[in-house]
Amino acid sequence: MTTEQQVLDRIERARRRAPRVREERVTLAHGAGGKATQTLVEDVFVGAFGNPALEPLDDGATLDLGASRMVLTTDSFVVSPLFFPGGDIGDLAVNGTVNDLAVSGARPLYLSAGFILEEGFPMDDLRRVTASMAAAARRAGVAVVTGDTKVVQHGKGDGCYITTTGVGVLERPEAFGAARVRPGDAVLVSGPIGEHGVTVMLARGELDLAADLVSDTAPLDGVVAALLDAVPGGVRMLRDATRGGVATVLNEVARAAGVSITVDEAAVPVRAAVTGACELLGIDPLYVACEGRFVAIVAGDRAEEALAALRGHPLGEDAALVGTVDGGPSGLVLLKTAFGGTRIADLLVGDPLPRIC
């Protein structure tokens, strides 16, 4: 047995172990979307609430309601700062939930909004946030139909947190998800990655860095619909690349489908400003969150059609074919580097950029 095979066998044995949270207290890593989050979700939450609708751990739960099929999803937003170039916590809260519905194949319909406000939060800022949410909802064609507000004492919060829950209707006959991914499929991304996470990080002003960047936050329902219309039956899986970025999405898919995924690093679209900032920060753009980009895995013989459909939409103009799905080693994401080598792009334990959504 080669040394490489021994390493792969050890990785596979580790992944087969039942997830178990070993920390005695919650850490920031548990909310970062990487290995710590995955362990927390599977051990604590699925362990407590496990049921057929929850256990796929998709972006939303598919619910059969008689003759109708719906998708339900929920997300909380704690971004810091609340306002950043290209957006704010308000449109982020709408777009994030709309996008989870869209990549689940649903047409977004309704949202609820829950606000946790800190005593002393400026009323003008609250009006600015809600106006931003209302504008984002109009762009996505959804209505905020119910909600809740709580206020905590000064110093017990961080200005404003928002939780949005969304409901959408499934109108297409085809189903897709990680379980449908198979060797020979193609991996696409809908546009340049990492812009949201880097923009928010620089907006904090903690680093002496400046870049001409704005967040990529946007509603994806339109571009997703364009893709599904163009290649009916050809889309295997969709996932928006939020916490943990594209690399985390691909690791989750490879694990769920029992396949390996090979990504060509040179093919991944990354703007020069993001690359430069990531190099200075010592992080990989593949792990940086987006809020207006998604990963699509499509049948290999439909890849060019899918790419053309994405590029025909304003939010997919810079879409790219970045990789392929292979038969093994199971559960691994392999990155062909710009230097000609290959390395494993594994899940991170935590996230170098906390509180970016």
Side-chain angles (χ1 to χ4, degrees):
M1 181 181 293
T2 65
T3 301
E4 179 183 11
Q5 188 59 50
Q6 289 175 341
V7 171
L8 294 176
D9 286 347
R10 290 194 195 103
I11 292 172
E12 181 61 23
R13 286 197 298 272
R15 287 180 168 177
R16 284 198 298 264
R17 295 189 195 117
R20 180 181 176 187
V21 175
R22 300 186 182 279
E23 297 84 0
E24 294 184 358
R25 298 180 184 274
V26 173
T27 71
L28 281 175
H30 288 119
K35 288 182 180 177
T37 300
Q38 190 176 83
T39 301
L40 177 73
V41 169
E42 294 181 6
D43 181 12
V44 177
F45 298 124
V46 176
F49 308 129
N51 61 73
L54 172 65
E55 285 164 5
L57 296 179
D58 289 330
D59 286 303
T62 299
L63 307 173
D64 290 316
L65 304 174
S68 299
R69 296 172 66 234
M70 311 291 286
V71 174
L72 175 69
T73 188
T74 193
D75 207 345
S76 297
F77 298 85
V78 297
V79 64
S80 176
L82 299 179
F83 305 96
F84 46 84
D88 58 49
I89 193 173
D91 64 23
L92 196 64
V94 171
N95 291 337
T97 297
V98 164
N99 293 348
D100 282 345
L101 293 171
V103 298
S104 299
R107 178 168 62 88
L109 295 175
Y110 304 109
L111 300 181
S112 73
F115 293 82
I116 297 179
L117 305 174
E118 184 181 12
E119 179 187 20
F121 186 62
M123 196 63 69
D124 284 348
D125 284 352
L126 181 57
R127 293 186 188 279
R128 181 179 171 187
V129 167
T130 55
S132 180
M133 291 183 72
R138 286 192 296 271
R139 286 193 296 271
V142 298
V144 179
V145 295
T146 189
D148 184 49
T149 303
K150 296 291 189 295
V151 178
V152 298
Q153 299 97 323
H154 181 71
K156 301 295 185 180
D158 197 6
C160 174
Y161 301 145
I162 302 175
T163 295
T164 45
T165 297
V167 174
V169 61
L170 287 167
E171 298 172 319
R172 300 173 186 273
E174 65 265 32
F176 47 85
R180 298 186 70 243
V181 173
R182 62 197 68 173
D185 289 346
V187 180
L188 289 74
V189 294
S190 65
I193 65 171
E195 294 174 14
H196 174 74
V198 172
T199 296
V200 171
M201 189 65 182
L202 296 182
R204 291 175 184 164
E206 298 169 351
L207 303 169
D208 189 18
L209 296 175
D212 185 19
L213 279 175
V214 297
S215 169
D216 55 35
T217 177
L220 294 172
D221 52 318
V223 64
V224 167
L227 173 63
L228 296 177
D229 287 341
V231 287
V235 176
R236 309 286 199 211
M237 190 278 323
L238 300 173
R239 189 75 59 85
D240 55 337
T242 54
R243 291 182 305 172
V246 169
T248 297
V249 168
L250 295 180
N251 270 278
E252 291 171 350
V253 172
R255 179 185 177 193
V259 297
S260 66
I261 296 175
T262 302
V263 176
D264 182 355
E265 184 178 37
V268 179
V270 188
R271 299 199 195 282
V274 172
T275 299
C278 286
E279 288 177 350
L280 290 171
L281 293 168
I283 56 179
D284 188 335
L286 281 168
Y287 293 93
V288 178
C290 312
E291 288 292 344
R293 310 287 188 228
F294 65 93
V295 176
I297 297 182
V298 303
D301 60 356
R302 310 293 296 277
E304 292 302 323
E305 293 175 76
L307 193 58
L310 290 175
R311 290 177 173 172
H313 190 280
L315 290 179
E317 290 176 340
D318 297 314
L321 173 61
V322 301
T324 57
V325 178
D326 306 308
S330 176
L332 289 186
V333 176
L334 305 173
L335 185 70
K336 290 184 177 179
T337 70
F339 302 103
T342 301
R343 65 177 175 87
I344 295 174
D346 201 2
L347 281 174
L348 298 182
V349 173
D351 190 336
L353 304 177
R355 295 192 58 189
I356 42 75
C357 62

